[in-house]
Amino acid sequence: MEPQTADRTKSPSTPGPLASFVRFVVCGGGIGVLSSFAVPLVAMTMPWAVANAVITVASTLLCTELHALFTFGTGRRPGWRRHLQSSGSAAAAYSVTCVAMILLHTVQSSPALLTEQAVYLSASALAGIGRFLVLRLFVFTGTHTSRRPSGTMVALPRPTLPRTAVSTAC
């Protein structure tokens, strides 16, 4: 029998930070690759920008489901709140890559393709790390898994003074 040294607040299926990060990269990267193939296929039936938007929304929803169930091991599907928070972090990551590319083209009017790729991939990696941290620390922390009904009263403990403070004050 192995000694119990694990944190008791985590469920047995909750992966640690490194395992979560690997799962995040695999899920997000896998869905990203699939999306890159899906956009041109969908674009055969509609304008490219619309196809890209549709696939982006669908892939973000799918990734959020995978992150909740697999990456961060919450044991339950995400609600609309987590979907919105995840979408917000995806939008922020998208903004980071756009700003990086705008800055590159401001500094160099005609950068080489290799330079563009290096800047884009670096910005994407940094944005991905930031998104992972936001999702792990704020969105899928487990603190939003149980909700009290609205209007429920919560009893707070009464403040007490230490006995020494009471006896010296009299």
PDB file of all heavy atoms in Angstrom, residues 2 6 28 38 40 49 55 64 69 72-73 78 82 96-97 113-114 119 121 130 138 146 154-157 162-163 166:
ATOM      1  N   GLU A   2       0.619   2.206  -0.886  1.00  0.00           N
ATOM      2  CA  GLU A   2       1.428   3.411  -0.987  1.00  0.00           C
ATOM      3  C   GLU A   2       0.951   4.451   0.006  1.00  0.00           C
ATOM      4  O   GLU A   2      -0.243   4.570   0.274  1.00  0.00           O
ATOM      5  CB  GLU A   2       1.337   3.984  -2.397  1.00  0.00           C
ATOM      6  CG  GLU A   2       1.969   3.101  -3.441  1.00  0.00           C
ATOM      7  CD  GLU A   2       1.889   3.733  -4.819  1.00  0.00           C
ATOM      8  OE1 GLU A   2       1.653   4.944  -4.904  1.00  0.00           O
ATOM      9  OE2 GLU A   2       2.069   3.004  -5.795  1.00  0.00           O
ATOM     10  N   ALA A   6      -0.759  12.741  -1.558  1.00  0.00           N
ATOM     11  CA  ALA A   6      -1.403  13.656  -2.508  1.00  0.00           C
ATOM     12  C   ALA A   6      -2.271  14.668  -1.780  1.00  0.00           C
ATOM     13  O   ALA A   6      -2.749  14.417  -0.677  1.00  0.00           O
ATOM     14  CB  ALA A   6      -2.249  12.862  -3.500  1.00  0.00           C
ATOM     15  N   GLY A  28      -5.419  21.249 -27.706  1.00  0.00           N
ATOM     16  CA  GLY A  28      -5.472  22.496 -28.466  1.00  0.00           C
ATOM     17  C   GLY A  28      -4.771  22.394 -29.799  1.00  0.00           C
ATOM     18  O   GLY A  28      -5.283  22.846 -30.826  1.00  0.00           O
ATOM     19  N   ALA A  38     -10.262  21.889 -41.838  1.00  0.00           N
ATOM     20  CA  ALA A  38     -11.710  22.074 -41.955  1.00  0.00           C
ATOM     21  C   ALA A  38     -12.080  23.398 -42.626  1.00  0.00           C
ATOM     22  O   ALA A  38     -13.046  23.457 -43.386  1.00  0.00           O
ATOM     23  CB  ALA A  38     -12.370  21.989 -40.586  1.00  0.00           C
ATOM     24  N   PRO A  40     -10.729  25.271 -45.136  1.00  0.00           N
ATOM     25  CA  PRO A  40     -10.839  25.279 -46.604  1.00  0.00           C
ATOM     26  C   PRO A  40     -11.986  24.411 -47.125  1.00  0.00           C
ATOM     27  O   PRO A  40     -12.609  24.742 -48.138  1.00  0.00           O
ATOM     28  CB  PRO A  40      -9.494  24.755 -47.098  1.00  0.00           C
ATOM     29  CG  PRO A  40      -8.633  24.565 -45.928  1.00  0.00           C
ATOM     30  CD  PRO A  40      -9.424  24.806 -44.695  1.00  0.00           C
ATOM     31  N   ALA A  49     -14.004  33.945 -44.923  1.00  0.00           N
ATOM     32  CA  ALA A  49     -14.068  34.595 -43.606  1.00  0.00           C
ATOM     33  C   ALA A  49     -15.179  33.993 -42.739  1.00  0.00           C
ATOM     34  O   ALA A  49     -15.004  33.798 -41.535  1.00  0.00           O
ATOM     35  CB  ALA A  49     -14.279  36.098 -43.768  1.00  0.00           C
ATOM     36  N   ILE A  55     -15.664  27.729 -38.002  1.00  0.00           N
ATOM     37  CA  ILE A  55     -14.735  26.710 -37.499  1.00  0.00           C
ATOM     38  C   ILE A  55     -14.068  27.180 -36.210  1.00  0.00           C
ATOM     39  O   ILE A  55     -13.859  26.392 -35.280  1.00  0.00           O
ATOM     40  CB  ILE A  55     -13.680  26.347 -38.576  1.00  0.00           C
ATOM     41  CG1 ILE A  55     -14.366  25.702 -39.779  1.00  0.00           C
ATOM     42  CG2 ILE A  55     -12.600  25.438 -38.008  1.00  0.00           C
ATOM     43  CD1 ILE A  55     -15.126  24.421 -39.472  1.00  0.00           C
ATOM     44  N   THR A  64     -12.944  23.734 -25.254  1.00  0.00           N
ATOM     45  CA  THR A  64     -13.382  23.995 -23.883  1.00  0.00           C
ATOM     46  C   THR A  64     -13.952  22.731 -23.254  1.00  0.00           C
ATOM     47  O   THR A  64     -13.682  22.422 -22.088  1.00  0.00           O
ATOM     48  CB  THR A  64     -14.421  25.136 -23.848  1.00  0.00           C
ATOM     49  OG1 THR A  64     -13.824  26.310 -24.414  1.00  0.00           O
ATOM     50  CG2 THR A  64     -14.866  25.447 -22.430  1.00  0.00           C
ATOM     51  N   LEU A  69     -13.058  18.318 -19.397  1.00  0.00           N
ATOM     52  CA  LEU A  69     -13.153  16.890 -19.100  1.00  0.00           C
ATOM     53  C   LEU A  69     -11.801  16.188 -19.036  1.00  0.00           C
ATOM     54  O   LEU A  69     -11.586  15.312 -18.194  1.00  0.00           O
ATOM     55  CB  LEU A  69     -14.036  16.202 -20.151  1.00  0.00           C
ATOM     56  CG  LEU A  69     -15.492  16.671 -20.169  1.00  0.00           C
ATOM     57  CD1 LEU A  69     -16.218  16.078 -21.368  1.00  0.00           C
ATOM     58  CD2 LEU A  69     -16.190  16.316 -18.873  1.00  0.00           C
ATOM     59  N   PHE A  72      -8.014  19.406 -17.629  1.00  0.00           N
ATOM     60  CA  PHE A  72      -8.000  19.819 -16.231  1.00  0.00           C
ATOM     61  C   PHE A  72      -8.773  18.873 -15.326  1.00  0.00           C
ATOM     62  O   PHE A  72      -8.826  19.083 -14.121  1.00  0.00           O
ATOM     63  CB  PHE A  72      -8.520  21.260 -16.109  1.00  0.00           C
ATOM     64  CG  PHE A  72      -7.684  22.227 -16.895  1.00  0.00           C
ATOM     65  CD1 PHE A  72      -8.181  22.825 -18.047  1.00  0.00           C
ATOM     66  CD2 PHE A  72      -6.391  22.521 -16.523  1.00  0.00           C
ATOM     67  CE1 PHE A  72      -7.413  23.705 -18.785  1.00  0.00           C
ATOM     68  CE2 PHE A  72      -5.607  23.389 -17.262  1.00  0.00           C
ATOM     69  CZ  PHE A  72      -6.117  23.991 -18.404  1.00  0.00           C
ATOM     70  N   GLY A  73      -9.381  17.841 -15.878  1.00  0.00           N
ATOM     71  CA  GLY A  73     -10.024  16.786 -15.097  1.00  0.00           C
ATOM     72  C   GLY A  73     -11.079  17.257 -14.120  1.00  0.00           C
ATOM     73  O   GLY A  73     -11.107  16.796 -12.987  1.00  0.00           O
ATOM     74  N   PRO A  78     -18.319  21.786 -19.050  1.00  0.00           N
ATOM     75  CA  PRO A  78     -18.334  23.203 -18.663  1.00  0.00           C
ATOM     76  C   PRO A  78     -19.689  23.837 -18.946  1.00  0.00           C
ATOM     77  O   PRO A  78     -20.357  23.491 -19.913  1.00  0.00           O
ATOM     78  CB  PRO A  78     -17.250  23.821 -19.552  1.00  0.00           C
ATOM     79  CG  PRO A  78     -17.219  22.939 -20.759  1.00  0.00           C
ATOM     80  CD  PRO A  78     -17.541  21.556 -20.256  1.00  0.00           C
ATOM     81  N   ARG A  82     -18.045  29.041 -18.071  1.00  0.00           N
ATOM     82  CA  ARG A  82     -16.700  28.593 -18.446  1.00  0.00           C
ATOM     83  C   ARG A  82     -16.464  28.696 -19.940  1.00  0.00           C
ATOM     84  O   ARG A  82     -15.356  28.987 -20.383  1.00  0.00           O
ATOM     85  CB  ARG A  82     -16.468  27.167 -17.958  1.00  0.00           C
ATOM     86  CG  ARG A  82     -16.244  27.129 -16.455  1.00  0.00           C
ATOM     87  CD  ARG A  82     -15.910  25.763 -15.975  1.00  0.00           C
ATOM     88  NE  ARG A  82     -15.456  25.814 -14.591  1.00  0.00           N
ATOM     89  CZ  ARG A  82     -15.427  24.785 -13.806  1.00  0.00           C
ATOM     90  NH1 ARG A  82     -15.816  23.597 -14.244  1.00  0.00           N
ATOM     91  NH2 ARG A  82     -14.995  24.897 -12.575  1.00  0.00           N
ATOM     92  N   VAL A  96      -3.027  38.837 -29.100  1.00  0.00           N
ATOM     93  CA  VAL A  96      -1.571  38.853 -28.903  1.00  0.00           C
ATOM     94  C   VAL A  96      -0.856  38.528 -30.210  1.00  0.00           C
ATOM     95  O   VAL A  96       0.114  39.202 -30.584  1.00  0.00           O
ATOM     96  CB  VAL A  96      -1.161  37.864 -27.783  1.00  0.00           C
ATOM     97  CG1 VAL A  96       0.343  37.612 -27.775  1.00  0.00           C
ATOM     98  CG2 VAL A  96      -1.618  38.377 -26.427  1.00  0.00           C
ATOM     99  N   THR A  97      -1.334  37.520 -30.935  1.00  0.00           N
ATOM    100  CA  THR A  97      -0.672  37.174 -32.191  1.00  0.00           C
ATOM    101  C   THR A  97      -0.865  38.259 -33.237  1.00  0.00           C
ATOM    102  O   THR A  97       0.057  38.561 -34.006  1.00  0.00           O
ATOM    103  CB  THR A  97      -1.171  35.816 -32.736  1.00  0.00           C
ATOM    104  OG1 THR A  97      -2.584  35.862 -32.890  1.00  0.00           O
ATOM    105  CG2 THR A  97      -0.789  34.674 -31.810  1.00  0.00           C
ATOM    106  N   LEU A 113       9.538  35.411 -44.932  1.00  0.00           N
ATOM    107  CA  LEU A 113       8.537  34.448 -44.491  1.00  0.00           C
ATOM    108  C   LEU A 113       8.983  33.730 -43.218  1.00  0.00           C
ATOM    109  O   LEU A 113       8.186  33.517 -42.301  1.00  0.00           O
ATOM    110  CB  LEU A 113       8.249  33.435 -45.608  1.00  0.00           C
ATOM    111  CG  LEU A 113       7.198  32.374 -45.302  1.00  0.00           C
ATOM    112  CD1 LEU A 113       5.851  33.031 -45.000  1.00  0.00           C
ATOM    113  CD2 LEU A 113       7.071  31.423 -46.466  1.00  0.00           C
ATOM    114  N   LEU A 114      10.260  33.381 -43.134  1.00  0.00           N
ATOM    115  CA  LEU A 114      10.796  32.704 -41.958  1.00  0.00           C
ATOM    116  C   LEU A 114      10.680  33.598 -40.720  1.00  0.00           C
ATOM    117  O   LEU A 114      10.340  33.124 -39.630  1.00  0.00           O
ATOM    118  CB  LEU A 114      12.249  32.280 -42.202  1.00  0.00           C
ATOM    119  CG  LEU A 114      12.888  31.423 -41.123  1.00  0.00           C
ATOM    120  CD1 LEU A 114      12.128  30.110 -40.947  1.00  0.00           C
ATOM    121  CD2 LEU A 114      14.343  31.136 -41.473  1.00  0.00           C
ATOM    122  N   VAL A 119       8.034  34.937 -35.604  1.00  0.00           N
ATOM    123  CA  VAL A 119       7.320  35.888 -34.745  1.00  0.00           C
ATOM    124  C   VAL A 119       5.932  35.350 -34.409  1.00  0.00           C
ATOM    125  O   VAL A 119       5.504  35.378 -33.249  1.00  0.00           O
ATOM    126  CB  VAL A 119       7.238  37.283 -35.414  1.00  0.00           C
ATOM    127  CG1 VAL A 119       6.268  38.199 -34.682  1.00  0.00           C
ATOM    128  CG2 VAL A 119       8.625  37.912 -35.472  1.00  0.00           C
ATOM    129  N   LEU A 121       4.790  32.190 -34.456  1.00  0.00           N
ATOM    130  CA  LEU A 121       4.846  31.010 -33.591  1.00  0.00           C
ATOM    131  C   LEU A 121       5.289  31.363 -32.176  1.00  0.00           C
ATOM    132  O   LEU A 121       4.790  30.789 -31.202  1.00  0.00           O
ATOM    133  CB  LEU A 121       5.748  29.940 -34.204  1.00  0.00           C
ATOM    134  CG  LEU A 121       5.201  29.288 -35.474  1.00  0.00           C
ATOM    135  CD1 LEU A 121       6.241  28.345 -36.078  1.00  0.00           C
ATOM    136  CD2 LEU A 121       3.903  28.557 -35.202  1.00  0.00           C
ATOM    137  N   GLY A 130       0.021  31.724 -21.694  1.00  0.00           N
ATOM    138  CA  GLY A 130      -0.856  32.620 -20.924  1.00  0.00           C
ATOM    139  C   GLY A 130      -2.270  32.076 -20.840  1.00  0.00           C
ATOM    140  O   GLY A 130      -2.901  32.100 -19.776  1.00  0.00           O
ATOM    141  N   PHE A 138      -7.906  30.151 -13.197  1.00  0.00           N
ATOM    142  CA  PHE A 138      -9.148  30.907 -12.990  1.00  0.00           C
ATOM    143  C   PHE A 138     -10.403  30.217 -13.521  1.00  0.00           C
ATOM    144  O   PHE A 138     -11.434  30.266 -12.871  1.00  0.00           O
ATOM    145  CB  PHE A 138      -9.035  32.298 -13.636  1.00  0.00           C
ATOM    146  CG  PHE A 138      -7.930  33.124 -13.063  1.00  0.00           C
ATOM    147  CD1 PHE A 138      -6.768  33.337 -13.783  1.00  0.00           C
ATOM    148  CD2 PHE A 138      -8.023  33.657 -11.789  1.00  0.00           C
ATOM    149  CE1 PHE A 138      -5.731  34.086 -13.258  1.00  0.00           C
ATOM    150  CE2 PHE A 138      -6.993  34.396 -11.249  1.00  0.00           C
ATOM    151  CZ  PHE A 138      -5.844  34.616 -11.980  1.00  0.00           C
ATOM    152  N   SER A 146     -19.685  23.869  -7.676  1.00  0.00           N
ATOM    153  CA  SER A 146     -20.944  23.771  -6.936  1.00  0.00           C
ATOM    154  C   SER A 146     -21.453  25.172  -6.671  1.00  0.00           C
ATOM    155  O   SER A 146     -20.713  26.042  -6.239  1.00  0.00           O
ATOM    156  CB  SER A 146     -20.729  23.024  -5.620  1.00  0.00           C
ATOM    157  OG  SER A 146     -19.833  23.728  -4.800  1.00  0.00           O
ATOM    158  N   VAL A 154     -25.743  32.322   4.338  1.00  0.00           N
ATOM    159  CA  VAL A 154     -24.588  31.584   4.817  1.00  0.00           C
ATOM    160  C   VAL A 154     -24.245  32.125   6.195  1.00  0.00           C
ATOM    161  O   VAL A 154     -24.086  33.335   6.379  1.00  0.00           O
ATOM    162  CB  VAL A 154     -23.380  31.765   3.867  1.00  0.00           C
ATOM    163  CG1 VAL A 154     -22.156  31.071   4.422  1.00  0.00           C
ATOM    164  CG2 VAL A 154     -23.722  31.261   2.486  1.00  0.00           C
ATOM    165  N   ALA A 155     -24.161  31.245   7.185  1.00  0.00           N
ATOM    166  CA  ALA A 155     -23.821  31.670   8.543  1.00  0.00           C
ATOM    167  C   ALA A 155     -22.318  31.883   8.630  1.00  0.00           C
ATOM    168  O   ALA A 155     -21.533  31.005   8.277  1.00  0.00           O
ATOM    169  CB  ALA A 155     -24.263  30.610   9.541  1.00  0.00           C
ATOM    170  N   LEU A 156     -21.930  33.043   9.089  1.00  0.00           N
ATOM    171  CA  LEU A 156     -20.525  33.357   9.273  1.00  0.00           C
ATOM    172  C   LEU A 156     -20.170  33.155  10.742  1.00  0.00           C
ATOM    173  O   LEU A 156     -21.004  33.389  11.621  1.00  0.00           O
ATOM    174  CB  LEU A 156     -20.235  34.796   8.867  1.00  0.00           C
ATOM    175  CG  LEU A 156     -20.483  35.127   7.401  1.00  0.00           C
ATOM    176  CD1 LEU A 156     -20.264  36.609   7.153  1.00  0.00           C
ATOM    177  CD2 LEU A 156     -19.566  34.312   6.517  1.00  0.00           C
ATOM    178  N   PRO A 157     -18.959  32.731  11.038  1.00  0.00           N
ATOM    179  CA  PRO A 157     -18.586  32.551  12.439  1.00  0.00           C
ATOM    180  C   PRO A 157     -18.535  33.889  13.158  1.00  0.00           C
ATOM    181  O   PRO A 157     -18.200  34.920  12.570  1.00  0.00           O
ATOM    182  CB  PRO A 157     -17.201  31.908  12.359  1.00  0.00           C
ATOM    183  CG  PRO A 157     -16.705  32.191  10.989  1.00  0.00           C
ATOM    184  CD  PRO A 157     -17.904  32.390  10.125  1.00  0.00           C
ATOM    185  N   PRO A 162      -9.384  37.046  21.843  1.00  0.00           N
ATOM    186  CA  PRO A 162      -8.602  36.119  22.671  1.00  0.00           C
ATOM    187  C   PRO A 162      -8.847  36.426  24.147  1.00  0.00           C
ATOM    188  O   PRO A 162      -9.096  37.577  24.527  1.00  0.00           O
ATOM    189  CB  PRO A 162      -7.157  36.395  22.286  1.00  0.00           C
ATOM    190  CG  PRO A 162      -7.221  37.242  21.048  1.00  0.00           C
ATOM    191  CD  PRO A 162      -8.568  37.834  20.983  1.00  0.00           C
ATOM    192  N   ARG A 163      -8.759  35.457  25.014  1.00  0.00           N
ATOM    193  CA  ARG A 163      -9.027  35.646  26.436  1.00  0.00           C
ATOM    194  C   ARG A 163      -8.103  36.693  27.036  1.00  0.00           C
ATOM    195  O   ARG A 163      -8.507  37.453  27.905  1.00  0.00           O
ATOM    196  CB  ARG A 163      -8.867  34.324  27.195  1.00  0.00           C
ATOM    197  CG  ARG A 163      -9.972  33.362  26.883  1.00  0.00           C
ATOM    198  CD  ARG A 163      -9.823  32.152  27.790  1.00  0.00           C
ATOM    199  NE  ARG A 163     -10.813  31.171  27.433  1.00  0.00           N
ATOM    200  CZ  ARG A 163     -11.974  31.025  28.062  1.00  0.00           C
ATOM    201  NH1 ARG A 163     -12.245  31.796  29.096  1.00  0.00           N
ATOM    202  NH2 ARG A 163     -12.823  30.120  27.679  1.00  0.00           N
ATOM    203  N   VAL A 166      -9.527  40.158  26.368  1.00  0.00           N
ATOM    204  CA  VAL A 166     -10.730  40.458  27.143  1.00  0.00           C
ATOM    205  C   VAL A 166     -10.355  40.778  28.566  1.00  0.00           C
ATOM    206  O   VAL A 166     -10.830  41.751  29.162  1.00  0.00           O
ATOM    207  CB  VAL A 166     -11.719  39.272  27.087  1.00  0.00           C
ATOM    208  CG1 VAL A 166     -12.882  39.500  28.024  1.00  0.00           C
ATOM    209  CG2 VAL A 166     -12.202  39.073  25.666  1.00  0.00           C
TER     210      VAL A 166
END
